[in-house]
Every structure is written in structure tokens, then in C-alpha cells.
Amino acid sequence: MLFELTEEQLMIQTMVRDFAQEVVLSTAMERDRTKEFPAENLRKMAELGLMGMMVSPEYNGAGADTVSYVLALQEIAYACASTAVVMSVQNSVVCETIDRFGTEEQKQNYLKPLAAGEVIGAFAMTEPHAGSDPVSQSTWAKRDRDHYIINGTKRFITSGKNAGITIVTAKTDKTKRHKGISAFIVRKGTPGFSVGKTEEKMGLCASDTTDLVFEDCRVPAEDLLGQEGDGFKIAMTALDGGRIGIAAQSLGVAQAALDAAASYSKEREQFGQPIAKFQGLRWMLADMATELEAARQLTFFAAANKDSGKKYTMQASMAKLFASEMVNDVTAKALQIHGGYGYTKEYAVERYYRDARVFTIYEGTSEIQRVVIANHLLGDRYVGTLR
Ligand code: CAA
């Protein structure tokens, strides 16, 4: 690493590693099969301060930095990627967003229970016809005296079914592009707000992904986040932090796959010797470890940039792009090293391979990360790294 971890960061890493290995890992395979939401584990994680890590203690958070958050998220993802995505969305795109853009009243009412882990949070921007291009969203909100009335459908919402508090974007002015989008905080149980279909997915099976439906849903005007028209910038800022989270999740799953492949290759014998003796496999493992280390450097670099108050949009996109592509390669190679057994549910690599597939898709596809990076590189938004 380019920098040394502090005593506190090392302590957090050890604490979360022990917890993840003892509590989260043992039931991960079963959870993948039953698709059961890890409510009990999330409750225990809340006790450890993992659900509002970067929020200040004043609002029930742990007051940790982003580097510590990356360390913690890696450990949870190593054990169970489904649990990690719930943690990532809660910490990055939900808690940090209300912390940064919320009013004091919103922080008291929403951030406090979220950061304490008493309530699960969701972030709803994507729609059936607006994924990579959220400006084209059609959910809209109309002011009606001291309320807004929201109508529309959101899609692919992580924790949609389990969330008690959701940040939702909607157009408040259809004549404006991104400047016509606003963000609202909506509570579960608000009349006109319901959970639609739940997706059947290839991976991250214990994390629910749902539609959210708004039919004349009346939200108090004080639950507007920021000002009218701020919604797109709020969402983009949220995603900058979120993308570091997905990079961290990728590191955790890749490390688990690499460890599994290395240990299997030492045990499995063919042609009279452990398959780890064959140069073809040794090189494969060496490439996996190198890619993983490179992704780790990029991710910690983005996190450290964020912690030091520097711009980090491009670094977050680079980390997310590289780490999510890396984990797809590493899990595919880990499965290959396991041969036929890797294709069975007996070995965890099969799950790692399925879970990792969405990492290059959600919170901005790899193609969108390249758009963000190229925009910085070619425009006046370019911020160099060590130069
Ligand atoms: N921070 C702050 N502001 C930003 C910003 C950022 N990172 N990126 C852009 N903006 C601002 C720009 O400065 C511009 O503002 P001004 O007009 O005032 O200058 C405004 O936003 C519009 O910017 P662009 O013209 O660049 O916007 P665009 O329409 O071309 O889109 C994009 C840019 C990067 C492609 C964006 O649309 C994008 O990120 N798309 C992907 C969406 C995405 O990631 N969806 C994932 C859904 S969430 C999810 O998956 C969560 C989950 O449940 C796991």
C-alpha cells in the first residue's frame, strides 16, 4: 500500500474480520440457497457500528474514515457478498447522502435510526427505461401546498423490500434536464408507496432487489433533500462514494476466490502431484494476485483522496471499473482451477462467480465508469493523481 494503516484502521479490520469469519461466513452458503435477508447479522453489524460507519457519533455513526470503511466492507464481502451490498448501500449512498445534504431535522429523523442500523435504507433512482441515463427518468413529483405527490416506478432497488427509509429521485420540472430532478426521503408505509416485483437474480441472492411503486404518494415538503432541482447532483455525489463501496466489495470477493483457489490447488492432486505444481496454474494464481493487488491500491487511493477532502470522482470510477472487472476475471479463474467441482454448489467459488457478475453493472456499468473517466481526462475536470 502507498500508506501505512493507522492503529485504529488495523483494529477495525481485525474486529470486522473476526466477526465476518465467525458469524457471517458460516451461513453464507445457506443464505444463498434460501435467499433469506440477513436481518439478524445486520443487527449484529449495527452493534459493531458498521451500518453508519462514516457518520459522526452525534448522529449514531461510528465516525470512521473511508479507508476503515473499505477495510470493513472487504471483510464482510469476503464472507458474504449479499450482506456486503446491503452494508454498502446503507453506508454510502444512503447515510452519507443524508449526512451531507440533509437538514438537521432530516438527520434527527432519518440519519440517526439509519446510522444506528435500526432501519435499512435504499436509494431509488433507476427505472425500467432509465438505467445508465438517469436524466431520462419519468417518475415525477408535483408540489401540492405542504406536500409533494410522487408518481412512477423505480427498478432494481437494492433492499427495496426491507428498507424503512428510501431516497427517491423524481422530476419536479419536466422542462429541465438534470436540473429538473429532485430527491426525496420516503418512509415505508407512506400511503401510495408500495413494493413491486422482486427480481429473481443469478447472484447476491440474499439481498432483495425490487421495484418500488409510487401512486399519488404524498410526501411532506420537509422531506425534500436539498433544494428542488438538486436531485441529480445529489445522486451523482452519492454514487461517487457508492462506487468506492462496490470496489471494496469486489476486493473482498476476489480475495475469497483467490484464497479458495490457492488452497484447492495445493490439495488437489492430478498426474501424481498437487495441481499447484503445474506452471500453468501457478501463473494463473500469480496473475490473479497481481490484479487483486492493483485493484486494492486503486480503491484505497480513491478512499484516501475522499478522506483528505480531495476530488475523487475519477478515482472512484477507476477503482470501481478496475476492481469489478478484476473480480470477474479472478472468480472465473478460481472456478476453472476447481475444475468440475467449481461448477457445483459444494464449493463456494460457484457463488463467488455468480455474485461478482453484477459488480460491473450496478452503481454504474463499466462503460459508464469509462465515460466518467474520459470526461475528466478530456475536460477541465481532470484531476491528476500523484503528478
Ligand atoms: N458529482 C457532482 N456533480 C456531478 C457529478 C459528480 N460526480 N457528475 C456529474 N455532475 C454534474 C455535472 O457537473 C453537471 O452539472 P452542471 O450542469 O451544473 O455543470 C450535471 O451533473 C450533469 O452532468 P453530465 O452532463 O455529465 O450528466 P450526464 O447526463 O451526461 O450523465 C453520467 C453523466 C456519468 C453518465 C451519469 O448519468 C451516470 O452516472 N449514469 C449512471 C447511473 C448509475 O450509476 N446508476 C446506478 C444506479 S444506483 C445503484 O445501482 C444502487 C444499488 O441499488 C446498488
Side-chain angles (χ1 to χ4, degrees):
M1 230 178 285
L2 284 170
F3 51 88
E4 290 290 316
L5 294 177
T6 63
E7 284 287 311
E8 194 185 339
Q9 288 163 345
L10 286 167
M11 222 173 65
I12 291 173
Q13 183 185 40
T14 307
M15 185 263 292
V16 183
R17 183 172 295 168
D18 290 347
F19 169 79
Q21 292 299 305
E22 279 164 29
V23 179
V24 182
L25 183 63
S26 56
T27 45
M29 231 146 167
E30 178 67 1
R31 215 168 14 255
D32 176 61
R33 194 180 59 76
T34 61
K35 302 184 169 71
E36 194 182 328
F37 188 71
E40 181 56 18
N41 285 348
L42 291 164
R43 198 190 51 72
K44 291 179 185 159
M45 285 162 62
E47 281 170 15
L48 298 177
L50 300 182
M51 299 304 274
M53 280 192 78
M54 295 166 289
V55 173
S56 84
E58 188 190 348
Y59 299 110
N60 292 338
D65 58 12
T66 315
V67 168
S68 302
Y69 166 62
V70 168
L71 290 167
L73 196 50
Q74 271 189 110
E75 296 301 331
I76 300 294
Y78 187 105
C80 174
S82 291
T83 308
V85 70
V86 180
M87 175 180 164
S88 176
V89 168
Q90 178 97 358
N91 277 275
S92 307
V93 288
V94 180
C95 281
E96 275 212 300
T97 303
I98 300 178
D99 198 9
R100 177 148 184 199
F101 297 100
T103 60
E104 183 54 32
E105 196 185 350
Q106 288 169 346
K107 290 183 193 178
Q108 293 294 338
N109 290 341
Y110 303 119
L111 184 58
K112 274 186 152 180
L114 282 163
E118 291 159 8
V119 176
I120 296 296
F123 176 80
M125 178 166 71
T126 300
E127 297 186 0
H129 302 290
S132 290
D133 178 18
V135 172
S136 68
Q137 64 188 268
S138 55
T139 296
W140 61 289
K142 190 177 74 175
R143 180 98 194 214
D144 179 27
R145 293 185 302 274
D146 54 355
H147 279 75
Y148 283 90
I149 305 171
I150 306 180
N151 278 285
T153 298
K154 296 292 178 180
R155 178 146 295 169
F156 301 141
I157 308 308
T158 300
S159 303
K161 197 165 65 183
N162 288 287
I165 292 169
T166 302
I167 297 176
V168 183
T169 60
K171 285 220 155 160
T172 39
D173 186 342
K174 292 181 187 173
T175 65
K176 293 181 183 155
R177 249 179 55 84
H178 60 278
K179 288 187 173 135
I181 295 174
S182 302
F184 301 89
I185 305 174
V186 184
R187 294 169 195 257
K188 186 179 196 163
T190 303
F193 173 34
S194 60
V195 178
K197 70 164 177 167
T198 299
E199 302 294 345
E200 286 286 335
K201 301 174 297 180
M202 75 182 271
L204 297 185
C205 295
S207 139
D208 56 303
T209 304
T210 74
D211 275 10
L212 293 179
V213 182
F214 298 85
E215 291 165 306
D216 288 331
C217 172
R218 289 177 72 82
V219 175
E222 60 261 27
D223 289 342
L224 171 73
L225 195 55
Q227 303 298 312
E228 257 191 40
D230 284 352
F232 188 72
K233 283 207 177 184
I234 290 175
M236 289 299 111
T237 308
L239 285 169
D240 284 347
R243 287 165 185 167
I244 295 179
I246 305 307
Q249 195 188 13
S250 303
L251 299 179
V253 175
Q255 188 68 61
L258 175 61
D259 289 354
S263 107
Y264 183 83
S265 70
K266 286 192 265 184
E267 282 162 22
R268 173 76 173 167
E269 293 198 2
Q270 291 291 279
F271 304 102
Q273 60 178 359
I275 58 173
K277 297 259 185 211
F278 293 103
Q279 191 181 47
L281 263 67
R282 296 175 82 84
W283 285 16
M284 220 194 260
L285 287 162
D287 285 346
M288 290 156 74
T290 307
E291 279 185 66
L292 171 55
E293 200 52 47
R296 187 168 281 135
Q297 301 287 350
L298 273 177
T299 308
F300 278 101
F301 192 69
N305 261 27
K306 177 168 175 278
D307 285 336
S308 62
K310 293 192 189 127
K311 290 195 173 158
Y312 65 95
T313 299
M314 185 180 73
Q315 286 76 13
S317 281
M318 285 178 169
K320 202 270 185 186
L321 169 63
F322 193 83
S324 63
E325 294 288 341
M326 173 281 296
V327 70
N328 274 276
D329 190 45
V330 166
T331 53
K333 284 184 174 134
L335 196 151
Q336 187 70 19
I337 288 170
H338 281 73
Y341 290 110
Y343 197 61
T344 71
K345 301 262 178 205
E346 208 178 313
Y347 287 83
V349 281
E350 174 268 348
R351 171 167 56 91
Y352 303 150
Y353 180 76
R354 285 184 290 107
D355 284 347
R357 187 61 193 89
V358 76
F359 299 172
T360 61
I361 298 171
Y362 65 17
E363 300 215 9
T365 61
S366 288
E367 294 68 33
I368 287 296
Q369 306 313 324
R370 290 183 175 101
V371 167
V372 173
I373 296 162
N375 283 349
H376 279 75
L377 197 64
L378 302 170
D380 55 7
R381 282 184 257 170
Y382 180 59
V383 182
T385 50
L386 287 179
R387 290 187 65 213

